[in-house]
Amino acid sequence: MSQTELARSAPPAPKGPVEEFTTLAPSPRELMKRRAKSHIGFIVGMSIIVFFCIVAIFAPFLAPHDPYDQNLSARLVDPVWGAKGTWSNIFGTDAFGRDVLSRLMYGARLSLMIGFTAAFIAGVIGVTLGIVGGYFGGKVDAVIVYLINVKLALPVILVALSIASISGGSILVLILVLGLLTWDRYAVVVRSLTQQFRDQEFVLSSLAAGASHARIIFREILPNLTNQIIVVASLDMAIIILIEAALSFLGLGVRPPTPSWGLMVAEARAVMFFKPHLIMVPGAAIFLLVIAINMAGDGIRDVTSPEGRG
Amino acid sequence: MVSTGHVARIAILGTAMTLCAVSGTMAQKAKDTLRIAYLDPISTSDPYIDPQPETTLTSDAVYSKLFVYSPTERQVRPGLAESWTQVDPVTLDIKLREGVKFHDGAEFTADDVVYTFNYLIDPKSNLRFGNNWRWIKSVEKTGKFAVRLVAHGPTPFALTRLATGTPIFPAHLHKSFEGRGEFGRRSAVGTGAYKVEYIDATRGVMLVRNENYVSPGPWSPKPAIGRIQILPIPDVQTQAAQLMTGGLDIILSAPHDQTEQLASMPNIRKTSIENTVYFYLNMDALGRSGVEPLKKVEVRRAIAMAIDRKALAAGLVAGGEQVKIINAPCTDIQVGCTVSNSPPSFDPKAARDLMAKAGHASGFALEITSIFGAHELAEAIAGQLRGIGIRASVNRATMAAYRDRQTAGRLPMLVSHYSSGGLPDVSAVLDFYIGAKPRDYWGDAEIEKLMHAGAVEMDAGKRTEIYRAAFDRMNEMAYVLPIATHPAVLVHARDVEMPSISSLFSGVEYNNIRWSR
């Protein structure tokens, strides 16, 4: 009998043990990967965000024109699908003869930058207050709960409008105002989770081992809050981008001629009956980015803690 | 595939909508009611209490003035005054027209004139623009239909001032109100071409033709339209939608692009009306705002050279051929608007060289403040200034914020428009820029001296030369860049006609509007 025949006639390996081996419970990381790959909302949301981030970061290389370059003799040129549209201005030009696509790209920079920065500032404030209140409890917690209640009672848009109108709109003012007005969600979520963690064994054992409060907060509690913070941050960022657009639309946000989506919508109002694309293009960009961030936020929640769905 | 029936339904729907739109206008013509939209609602007809453009426009229809400035003839004509004599540089004798009646039937006499002027010059009246009449020392009745007006000093613009924004009120009614401001809201009675049926910030205003109106001449004719309904619609886009669908007959202030697009529709027209309004750019040459480069005349000239006024006027200012580039901060309608030189012409390369020579080759950051109506122009100017390295941003200020900043010395650059309050005389112009310290961003003693000299010079020729010297100096020092005239462009239904010139800065006299034949 040849070697080949022997191999052919060899009995198959027993199935049981091998199958048991390959179907061992996957690691949490593996599970997250699997859930992420099968979560359509997460994939679509993240793809759109990544697309906008690439456009924003590489705007100087991707934009066909300088967003500030105006040509008053080529105002309100049709987009490429319009009757007199050309490929040199794909989305046409605005009332000052500036390229709409280029302004849209630079506007993405601004929206994302304001969204990220303000959400970060809000996150730092909210997470700090939430952890301190939840961890230490007592009078410290009472003060922090009072601060959260005060903040929750403030109408965000109204306060932002007032501050912007008093101080005059600028990017720095906008970031600070929005950062200081949207930290309450972080604080509420983080405080309640920290209260739960505080009495759990891993924290108690660290305390018993003589770890300092700072070490427990930074090494034991904070890592367990990361997923929830990311979810809250995604929601917060979407809201901040919308408020920035609204303030710029009302003339109290970003100052012209800086390209901003909200400002682009505001400036297009004068010709909305006749050049509707000038409102629709930046409007669609705001819609897409905000919905993508919301989808990605929902996706992160489902992927990281599916038990929390609903 | 689109069926024939579907196409037919669309065609019928389209025709019905068109007929609705057209019939909307036609129906109002049949009812002899003209519908005009105001952006800002008004609750009074009294321009002394509420001197906003809409109130001024309405009051012109309700009240008459002693004199009427005819912009077509460029001269003062009789109104309630029948004739007048300048006795000496400070004394004016006025003979009033007899047989004129107020809307309530009371007779108009010298008592009403004396009462109105005493009210205007009384500091206790606390009027916002009370300075407009401070030159009047006294008014006395010299007969039932004659008055003598005495000024503190020679006042060459007296007649034009009395022909602009100085309506005569009925003494018997006005003094009957404890709070004088109530008169224009509750008892708007004048001698003008239209009577007030109602006036309310929510409902708007209804004006009805005064059948007893006696026209002083073709410069103020009898009204042709029976009723004028004024609707407060505080959004231009809503006004445009109403006009397109036949819900309105006139829009007073549509943006440039919207005006052009609306006027291209078959049932809509536009009329550009020459007036006293113009666009300008003012610079802080005094350094009040702390922007040091603007103190240098080279920098200010470079800024003027970087701005393409023709392109701005052609692209952004509504009014078509009525829009004129101006070389002095005034318009042709105004007495004394002459200048020998012009601002530096558009030359970006020379402007960059001048910036380098002044030590600002890399430019500087600058905030431009603009007011409503000039925001677009300011943004375009910001774009043009980038060409010489100036990183300009635009602060779109409300009127209140603009005044606060002006007083506080926080206006390094202002892009705005000025109407002179409709006064067809340049005395208002100089006073506007440097008449009071909070307004003065130039600190130029020479121009101030010329302003004071012009204000008391009764000889028209000498006065013109004084103002010419002042305007020449403004251009030399590049304090202000006059940009272009700013005609009132009314977008209206095709059934409406109106003249293309007006003594009002906010529209056109309502008794000059008529239905087209």
Side-chain angles (χ1 to χ4, degrees):
Chain A
M1 203 185 270
S2 67
Q3 287 287 325
T4 316
E5 284 170 332
L6 273 173
R8 278 180 186 163
S9 61
K15 286 180 181 175
V18 176
E19 276 186 356
E20 274 169 26
F21 179 75
T22 53
T23 53
L24 275 177
S27 67
R29 187 178 293 272
E30 184 62 28
L31 269 176
M32 264 173 48
K33 272 187 190 169
R34 283 187 198 173
R35 284 198 294 266
K37 281 180 187 169
S38 63
H39 197 294
I40 293 173
F42 176 75
I43 294 169
V44 172
M46 285 307 285
S47 306
I48 295 173
I49 294 172
V50 168
F51 170 75
F52 275 116
C53 286
I54 292 172
V55 166
I57 293 165
F58 298 105
F61 306 103
L62 296 173
H65 302 276
D66 182 333
Y68 295 97
D69 249 6
Q70 63 186 33
N71 181 0
L72 293 176
S73 58
R75 303 168 62 246
L76 302 171
V77 169
D78 279 346
V80 70
W81 60 85
K84 294 174 185 169
T86 64
W87 282 98
S88 70
N89 299 103
I90 293 172
F91 288 151
T93 62
D94 66 7
F96 301 94
R98 300 176 299 208
D99 182 51
V100 173
L101 176 61
S102 306
R103 291 184 70 75
L104 201 67
M105 288 176 164
Y106 277 84
R109 258 183 163 194
L110 197 79
S111 289
L112 286 169
M113 193 263 281
I114 291 176
F116 274 124
T117 326
F120 178 76
I121 292 172
V124 169
I125 299 170
V127 170
T128 309
L129 290 176
I131 287 187
V132 169
Y135 182 76
F136 292 107
K139 285 181 182 172
V140 176
D141 190 37
V143 171
I144 285 168
V145 168
Y146 175 74
L147 286 176
I148 292 172
N149 285 335
V150 169
K151 168 60 206 65
L152 284 171
L154 287 177
V156 176
I157 293 188
L158 210 60
V159 175
L161 268 175
S162 314
I163 296 175
S165 64
I166 291 166
S167 61
S170 76
I171 295 173
L172 186 66
V173 169
L174 261 186
I175 289 173
L176 289 176
V177 167
L178 295 178
L180 291 172
L181 283 174
T182 54
W183 53 264
D184 48 306
R185 280 183 203 81
Y186 296 92
V188 170
V189 171
V190 167
R191 177 180 163 274
S192 122
L193 285 169
T194 308
Q195 280 176 332
Q196 291 172 31
F197 293 147
R198 188 179 58 183
D199 299 325
Q200 287 188 8
E201 287 81 358
F202 67 97
V203 174
L204 295 174
S205 64
S206 287
L207 263 176
S212 66
H213 291 314
R215 184 182 169 85
I216 291 170
I217 287 172
F218 284 108
R219 302 295 296 271
E220 304 294 346
I221 294 177
L222 200 54
N224 282 296
L225 294 170
T226 314
N227 294 338
Q228 284 79 2
I229 292 173
I230 291 173
V231 173
V232 176
S234 68
L235 291 172
D236 194 40
M237 198 175 148
I239 290 168
I240 288 170
I241 289 172
L242 275 180
I243 298 177
E244 181 276 312
L247 288 177
S248 298
F249 176 82
L250 293 170
L252 294 166
V254 175
R255 284 188 181 177
T258 309
S260 145
W261 292 349
L263 211 54
M264 288 171 78
V265 172
E267 289 180 343
R269 282 178 76 228
V271 287
M272 70 179 185
F273 292 124
F274 308 99
K275 301 280 179 187
H277 72 279
L278 286 178
I279 271 192
M280 285 158 65
V281 167
I286 296 170
F287 168 76
L288 264 181
L289 181 58
V290 170
I291 204 163
I293 292 172
N294 278 316
M295 285 166 81
D298 281 354
I300 291 169
R301 183 199 59 202
D302 296 347
V303 167
T304 55
S305 57
E307 68 281 358
R309 288 183 70 167
Chain B
M1 194 175 144
V2 181
S3 68
T4 317
H6 188 66
V7 172
R9 278 196 296 276
I10 292 174
I12 290 166
L13 184 69
T15 313
M17 285 174 71
T18 311
L19 283 173
C20 279
V22 173
S23 63
T25 314
M26 298 299 285
Q28 293 308 311
K29 184 178 178 183
K31 287 180 186 170
D32 199 18
T33 302
L34 184 75
R35 296 154 308 166
I36 304 175
Y38 279 4
L39 271 180
D40 288 320
I42 60 168
S43 55
T44 179
S45 60
D46 185 343
Y48 300 126
I49 296 291
D50 179 35
Q52 64 164 318
E54 288 83 358
T55 313
T56 308
L57 195 57
T58 312
S59 74
D60 180 77
V62 179
Y63 309 102
S64 301
K65 297 167 292 241
L66 288 179
F67 305 101
V68 176
Y69 185 77
S70 166
T72 47
E73 302 167 288
R74 303 282 199 271
Q75 60 174 300
V76 173
R77 291 290 198 170
L80 287 173
E82 190 176 85
S83 61
W84 60 93
T85 312
Q86 188 79 50
V87 181
D88 60 51
V90 296
T91 311
L92 185 67
D93 278 350
I94 303 167
K95 185 173 182 318
L96 304 173
R97 266 196 299 148
E98 296 179 29
V100 177
K101 293 205 183 306
F102 284 103
H103 298 155
D104 64 350
E107 188 181 30
F108 161 75
T109 66
D111 291 330
D112 301 302
V113 178
V114 173
Y115 172 81
T116 302
F117 284 119
N118 282 333
Y119 168 66
L120 294 179
I121 61 179
D122 184 356
K124 281 186 272 182
S125 301
N126 203 20
L127 301 175
R128 186 169 143 202
F129 292 124
N131 278 340
N132 284 346
W133 302 279
R134 289 280 183 272
W135 52 273
I136 300 173
K137 186 179 176 188
S138 64
V139 185
E140 60 182 283
K141 181 179 172 182
T142 51
K144 190 180 178 188
F145 295 102
V147 293
R148 166 164 285 193
L149 191 148
V150 181
H152 287 290
T155 313
F157 54 86
L159 288 182
T160 49
R161 170 50 68 201
L162 298 181
T164 309
T166 314
I168 302 299
F169 285 163
H172 65 287
L173 280 174
H174 193 268
K175 67 183 169 193
S176 69
F177 289 98
E178 186 69 30
R180 302 284 190 255
E182 292 294 295
F183 164 75
R185 290 198 300 118
R186 291 171 48 195
S187 189
V189 168
T191 53
Y194 283 94
K195 297 178 184 180
V196 175
E197 192 170 287
Y198 61 80
I199 184 161
D200 183 283
T202 314
R203 290 165 71 202
V205 186
M206 179 64 86
L207 302 174
V208 186
R209 179 167 49 206
N210 175 12
E211 301 295 348
N212 297 323
Y213 179 68
V214 183
S215 164
W219 49 88
S220 186
K222 283 189 79 124
I225 292 175
R227 294 167 74 82
I228 295 179
Q229 185 181 12
I230 293 157
L231 300 158
I233 304 178
D235 178 71
V236 177
Q237 276 68 43
T238 312
Q239 290 189 2
Q242 287 284 322
L243 182 69
M244 285 193 285
T245 54
L248 267 181
D249 298 308
I250 296 181
I251 293 181
L252 290 175
S253 50
H256 171 249
D257 294 314
Q258 199 168 52
T259 300
E260 298 303 321
Q261 304 277 9
L262 284 169
S264 67
M265 298 180 75
N267 58 336
I268 297 176
R269 301 281 181 273
K270 64 167 181 175
T271 302
S272 305
I273 298 166
E274 196 182 344
N275 54 25
T276 57
V277 192
Y278 64 88
F279 286 108
Y280 68 94
L281 178 151
N282 196 31
M283 288 182 259
D284 179 14
L286 206 50
R288 287 175 63 187
S289 58
V291 181
E292 291 297 314
L294 288 180
K295 288 167 80 174
K296 298 177 186 172
V297 66
E298 294 90 350
V299 171
R300 297 197 301 271
R301 288 184 72 84
I303 286 171
M305 289 159 84
I307 295 170
D308 186 353
R309 297 187 294 159
K310 280 184 189 160
L312 293 176
L316 300 175
V317 183
E321 290 176 359
Q322 290 269 29
V323 181
K324 293 168 192 160
I325 304 294
I326 50 173
N327 292 326
C330 49
T331 70
D332 287 346
I333 290 181
Q334 292 174 292
V335 175
C337 187
T338 51
V339 63
S340 309
N341 55 12
S342 61
S345 48
F346 176 57
D347 187 345
K349 189 184 171 305
R352 280 191 292 273
D353 293 345
L354 208 51
M355 286 287 282
K357 195 179 154 196
H360 298 286
S362 55
F364 53 91
L366 178 67
E367 184 190 83
I368 303 176
T369 300
S370 62
I371 65 163
F372 181 77
H375 296 324
E376 274 202 332
L377 209 61
E379 191 167 345
I381 286 171
Q384 293 187 344
L385 291 182
R386 295 185 83 85
I388 57 167
I390 294 178
R391 300 173 296 284
S393 64
V394 179
N395 174 23
R396 297 176 169 189
T398 58
M399 192 53 87
Y402 148 67
R403 287 193 200 289
D404 285 348
R405 294 174 77 87
Q406 185 187 47
T407 308
R410 289 167 55 214
L411 289 182
M413 182 177 282
L414 173 72
V415 174
S416 184
H417 46 78
Y418 180 52
S419 66
S420 296
L423 187 75
D425 189 284
V426 292
S427 62
V429 172
L430 288 177
D431 182 70
F432 172 70
Y433 289 102
I434 59 169
K437 283 293 166 205
R439 297 202 292 269
D440 188 1
Y441 278 80
W442 305 345
D444 190 304
E446 191 177 325
I447 296 180
E448 197 176 339
K449 200 173 142 193
L450 289 166
M451 175 182 74
H452 292 309
V456 294
E457 179 54 65
M458 296 298 283
D459 182 282
K462 285 181 187 170
R463 191 162 173 264
T464 300
E465 286 312 309
I466 290 170
Y467 286 125
R468 186 201 300 272
F471 293 139
D472 287 355
R473 169 89 178 154
M474 285 183 202
N475 282 337
E476 274 166 32
M477 301 304 291
Y479 292 131
V480 62
L481 178 69
I483 299 173
T485 57
H486 179 21
V489 181
L490 273 60
V491 189
H492 53 84
R494 67 174 177 184
D495 296 342
V496 178
E497 319 184 313
M498 61 196 75
S500 58
I501 193 163
S502 172
S503 63
L504 301 175
F505 64 92
S506 47
V508 66
E509 295 84 353
Y510 288 157
N511 52 334
N512 277 330
I513 304 177
R514 59 189 65 248
W515 300 114
S516 59
R517 295 191 187 98

